Amino acid sequence: MSAAKHSQAMHFHARAGENVRNPVLQRALQKAKPLFVGKRAKGIAALADDGLEFEMLRTACEGIRNRTLADLDVWLDIFEERAITSGAEVLWARDGEEVGRLVVDIARRYGVTKATKSKSMLSEEAHLNEVLAKAGVRPVETDLGEYIVQLAGETPSHIIAPAVHKTIEEIEALFAKEHGRPVETRTSADIPDMTREAREVLRQHFLSAEMGISGANFLIAETGTAALVTNEGNGRMVTTLPKVHVVVTGIEKIVPTLEDFATLMRLLPRSATGQTISNYVSLLTGTKQPGDQDGPEKTVFILVDNGRANLLGSPYQDMLRCIRCGACMNHCPVYFSLGGHAYGWVYPGPMGSVLTPLYTGIENALDLPHASTGCNQCGSVCPVRIPLPKLMHQLREEQVERHLRPWSERLALKAWAWVAGQPVLYRWLTRRAVRYLNWLADDAGRIRIFGLAPGWTAGRDLPVASGRTFHELYKARK
Amino acid sequence: MTAKRDILGRVRGGVGKGDFAGRRAAAEAVLNARLRGPQPTISDGLIERFRVKAESLASTVDAVSDRKDAPAAVAAYLSANGLPMRVVVAQEIESLDWSGCAIVSAARGAVDSDQVGVTACFCAVAETGTLMLLSGPDSPATVSLLPETHIALVDTSRIVATMEDAFALLRAEREAVPRAINFISGPSRTGDIEQTIVLGAHGPCRVHLILIGISS
């Protein structure tokens, strides 16, 4: 599988350790988390002013996504037919490599030397920037966060805030180098100036690129339309100014009607950034019309599978409802301890812990389904009610069934299962174990260092229990 | 062609149902039913709600009683903000008397050097304080995109409650969707450097709305 080649998810353990000890990253993450959580909470609470509530809306959104997936073959057929009728071309790609080949072909056909890009996570799945550069096409990321990440030679660490891991000092160093000026001392007060500087540089790219590449937040079957939701306006630029517009998006992104889209838009921006609506919502259909002074002469949709179709009808189908809002990672204690790069592939956080093993192979991302405290904050904020902790559990079960767990864990579980089947031995052992734990505790009733597995208590204390087993306590009560 | 066949084959296998023609007909019926999800209850008047929401998204709002008064309001805004009296306007509002208010207007698509773009809008959405613009020969998408200042004339009779209502209006008045429908809610913004919100990322830094049909 091509995706597995690029995944670093097997190094999760090592990267997690490095990231926890990286003070610069930790500072950036600690600054961001309360902002994400607070903004969403405010946005969701404001629904009540209009007589709406979150649970009612998420039921509607979940229903739209489920109904589409239940007949996805039909909706794809309708979307393709209507997109073609409106003047677009529709291509299909089985995997990331095929996406790269198709985009390079289009670039060659239209003599493209530079492509401006609006944020597309699928183009990360396809390593499109790398492929374009090799083919002699300069890819320019234009979302400010993506631009920063591209200058740093990195990948996004968050699906809606790609540069959340970068501090202002790091960004200043990147801008000074790329924009050919000396490094200055920058504080938060300089952020408007820095944004202005990037605006001026990127404006020239917008005007000169021959091709614009975007993703799509949704594909609307009714009209054969790509829906693009942005705040910066870069999405509008790359779909208005270049002569060719290529939409690279997953086959699961379809919604049937404009009304369905309007319903989903009541939760997507609120879940992502707490906004009631994003600044720009663009619905793009076909190409430049007779008499139009702007717009692309050529519009191509590339509908990508890359593992998605296999989830239909599988125990993981719920994951295909995902609308990429980022709320799950914004509320995840694991994500905010490690940052997005620890996850090793395109999608971080809880949704990444489910998608990465499914799209790159369960055996290539063994740690990710375990990167969870089981707190279910992700599940409770998901606007399309994806049971993320349950899906991670299923993946863990599958690891066990396929004998993918380490031998030590398998042996320990076998031993446990045997002991649990011997009542006398079980009682004798557990009596000793709880007394040992009780003996470890300090005066405040907490275990500060757990001798058998000190890692567990490196960053926290373990509250101690009574020192008696459940059987003993139960007997005493009678 | 083979990629399409492969992918659709897998999708069909996953969906696991037969009778494609029957399901396709059912889907067409869904498209024609245009069912709406939960709708907001908007208690203020639509115009007031639109104004409050637009201002909360950092747009500024002015009002005039008649369309012919719009150029004077534009001129007042330009001089109050130290902007040049030279604007690019969408052709659909080219016939207003711009020169009578000492404004030099060019009716065309915008270019990089244009500092102020003036447009009308197809309609506006009260729920979120949003403009709905349709691209077309008389309303190029660049006029609301490239200049740093975007001024939009909003007919108050065209303010609807929700995005769904806006789509209903579109279906009633147009035969097909245009190349681009742009919903615009205030100036362009970014929060990508340390999650600090800055206005004027790539699109306009200022959005000024002139409501038409409000007698003073």
Side-chain angles (χ1 to χ4, degrees), chain A residues 140-159:
Chain A
V140 181
E141 294 287 354
T142 62
D143 172 272
L144 183 58
E146 291 273 356
Y147 178 63
I148 292 165
V149 163
Q150 189 183 27
L151 292 185
E154 296 176 1
T155 55
S157 71
H158 188 289
I159 63 168

Side-chain angles (χ1 to χ4, degrees), chain A residues 340-358:
Chain A
H341 287 151
Y343 292 80
W345 197 55
V346 179
Y347 302 103
M351 53 87 82
S353 292
V354 176
L355 280 181
T356 304
L358 292 175

Side-chain angles (χ1 to χ4, degrees), chain B residues 54-207:
Chain B
E55 283 174 342
S56 78
L57 298 171
S59 295
T60 49
V61 183
D62 192 3
V64 295
S65 59
D66 195 273
R67 199 172 178 79
K68 68 177 182 346
D69 304 324
V74 170
Y77 176 80
L78 295 178
S79 66
N81 288 278
L83 293 163
M85 300 294 271
R86 179 180 293 275
V87 301
V88 54
V89 301
Q91 282 91 326
E92 57 187 340
I93 51 168
E94 143 176 45
S95 61
L96 291 170
D97 185 14
W98 300 104
S99 57
C101 294
I103 296 172
V104 181
S105 66
R108 51 168 168 78
V111 294
D112 189 37
S113 55
D114 289 319
Q115 292 190 49
V116 181
V118 188
T119 70
C121 60
F122 174 74
C123 71
V125 178
E127 179 184 1
T128 48
T130 299
L131 305 172
M132 181 185 188
L133 273 67
L134 309 183
S135 71
D138 289 338
S139 53
T142 45
V143 181
S144 62
L145 181 62
L146 293 177
E148 281 196 13
T149 302
H150 172 209
I151 302 174
L153 313 187
V154 183
D155 214 316
T156 49
S157 65
R158 305 280 296 178
I159 299 178
V160 298
T162 62
M163 196 182 266
E164 286 91 332
D165 289 341
F167 289 139
L169 202 58
L170 177 74
R171 289 191 185 110
E173 296 182 2
R174 302 282 175 118
E175 275 173 26
V177 293
R179 182 196 67 80
I181 300 172
N182 284 302
F183 290 98
I184 300 175
S185 307
S188 133
R189 67 180 68 204
T190 183
D192 274 345
I193 303 180
E194 297 199 326
Q195 275 53 61
T196 302
I197 300 296
V198 176
L199 298 183
H202 293 304
C205 314
R206 281 173 298 271
V207 173

